[in-house]
Amino acid sequence: MSLKVWIDGKLHDKEDARISVYDHGLLYGDGVFEGLRVYHGRVFELHAHMRRLFDSANAIRLSIPYTAEQLRTAIEETVRVNSFTDCYIRLVVTRGVGYLGLNPNKCAKPSVIIITDTIEMYPQEMYEKGMSTITASVIRNHPNALSPRIKSLNYLNNILAKIEAADAGVPEAIMLNGEGNVSECTADNIFLVRDGIVTTPATHDGILEGITRRVIIRLCHNLSIPISERSVQRHDLYIADECFVTGTGAEVVPVTKIDGRPIGNAQPGPITRKLSEAFHRLVREG
Ligand code: PMP
């Protein structure tokens, strides 16, 4: 049976799920999105994702034609018709169909798309042995150009950084901000551990405020692990005892090499393991 995709209130077979070539989401990357996960039939951190979606939409003056409650019902319906108990959800809101010019006011109505599917971010081996990364030459969006806090359909600079990672033969790249401080990876937030203290770049360093990042910060508090949100230099990563990245798709991935330098003893560290286990307990047990 074909997967069903929800578009503007109707379910379509995956093969027939289409939007117009005049949609400004396609023509200009004009829109916002969320990536969510369903674990054991429950959407993880739904409220936080909805909040970020509406915040992103507000920031780009996009008015979502549904309430958060209506979207929740639509998500649950789409998960149910596809008989998923564990899956990834991609929720996309585009500016909608317009003319070939930029003007968003000429787009009649935003389109909402809900895709549910399986996703595999990284091979299992990386969760056990750790991942190698590089720092990219392409910087993260300057907050005064397009705030990285907006989860917009414009991922081109992240994609360029991802290409640099692929060229270097590694799966992920670390992006710096305009000041040269660490911001985040192309689709994940980053954490380091040094002397038992967990540190992650602060919002003002130009990051997407990841939902998984927030959950990890909460777990640090619960487990009495000191946690600090502050500016991080590339050098801080090089001299860290441990490093890991977080995201809805990736969950928690240990990083054991950056720019050719081993991090700590080049093995996933004890605090990374502890947080990763706590995260998995949380998503399994709610
Ligand atoms: N940073 C970027 C640029 C992202 O696209 C994502 C989402 N994949 C994240 C961080 C992680 O955010 P979350 O934990 O909400 O998935």
Side-chain angles (χ1 to χ4, degrees):
M1 197 193 74
S2 173
L3 276 177
K4 302 278 188 224
V5 177
W6 192 99
I7 304 177
D8 298 329
K10 290 203 188 75
L11 288 162
H12 303 263
D13 286 340
K14 179 177 169 178
E15 297 72 26
D16 303 323
R18 296 199 174 88
I19 61 155
S20 165
V21 293
Y22 283 84
D23 192 305
H24 281 207
L26 173 70
L27 290 175
Y28 296 112
D30 186 354
V32 294
F33 76 103
E34 279 297 317
L36 307 90
R37 284 285 281 271
V38 176
Y39 294 102
H40 300 284
R42 277 193 310 267
V43 184
F44 184 61
E45 291 284 319
L46 178 64
H47 178 74
H49 281 285
M50 281 299 161
R51 194 158 180 211
R52 188 171 66 184
L53 180 78
F54 279 84
D55 287 347
S56 294
N58 273 337
I60 68 160
R61 310 272 306 266
L62 176 66
S63 172
I64 301 177
Y66 299 94
T67 63
E69 189 54 32
Q70 286 171 324
L71 287 183
R72 187 172 72 88
T73 306
I75 287 171
E76 285 169 356
E77 182 193 2
T78 313
V79 171
R80 199 174 48 247
V81 297
N82 288 310
S83 307
F84 278 124
T85 50
D86 291 88
C87 68
Y88 179 84
I89 301 167
R90 176 58 58 89
L91 172 56
V92 184
V93 186
T94 71
R95 186 74 67 179
V97 176
Y99 298 88
L100 289 179
L102 283 175
N103 192 352
N105 297 331
K106 295 206 167 162
C107 299
K109 188 169 170 270
S111 265
V112 178
I113 301 164
I114 303 169
I115 307 168
T116 53
D117 211 334
T118 52
I119 117 163
E120 193 196 310
M121 285 295 281
Y122 299 117
Q124 187 54 33
E125 203 194 1
M126 282 183 193
Y127 292 87
E128 287 150 18
K129 299 204 171 130
M131 176 168 87
S132 291
T133 62
I134 55 150
T135 46
S137 68
V138 176
I139 63 163
R140 192 70 173 94
N141 283 331
H142 192 285
N144 290 338
L146 176 67
S147 173
R149 297 170 75 182
I150 302 169
K151 199 164 166 62
S152 86
L153 293 179
N154 275 272
Y155 259 56
L156 201 46
N157 65 331
N158 295 39
I159 288 165
L160 293 177
K162 188 86 174 173
I163 291 171
E164 286 186 45
D167 286 346
V170 296
E172 183 55 295
I174 298 161
M175 302 181 77
L176 308 178
N177 64 20
E179 277 79 55
N181 292 329
V182 175
S183 60
E184 59 180 336
C185 295
T186 66
D188 301 309
N189 290 110
I190 190 159
F191 290 75
L192 67 89
V193 186
R194 173 132 161 136
D195 296 335
I197 301 169
V198 177
T199 300
T200 191
T203 300
H204 64 247
D205 289 304
I207 59 165
L208 179 78
E209 296 163 298
I211 309 293
T212 321
R213 172 183 179 275
R214 190 45 59 197
V215 170
I216 291 292
I217 291 170
R218 208 157 66 216
L219 288 174
C220 284
H221 290 307
N222 294 349
L223 296 167
S224 302
I225 300 170
I227 165 84
S228 148
E229 293 176 62
R230 63 166 173 84
S231 294
V232 169
Q233 295 181 332
R234 181 158 47 177
H235 186 71
D236 294 314
L237 294 178
Y238 292 163
I239 63 170
D241 301 322
E242 302 178 34
C243 180
F244 61 91
V245 299
T246 65
T248 294
E251 300 180 335
V252 179
V253 193
V255 172
T256 47
K257 202 190 241 189
I258 301 174
D259 296 332
R261 293 144 176 92
I263 302 304
N265 64 1
Q267 305 282 327
I271 293 183
T272 304
R273 283 188 189 283
K274 195 169 175 181
L275 287 168
S276 173
E277 281 160 21
F279 183 81
H280 285 113
R281 263 198 310 278
L282 181 71
V283 300
R284 268 200 307 272
E285 291 157 19

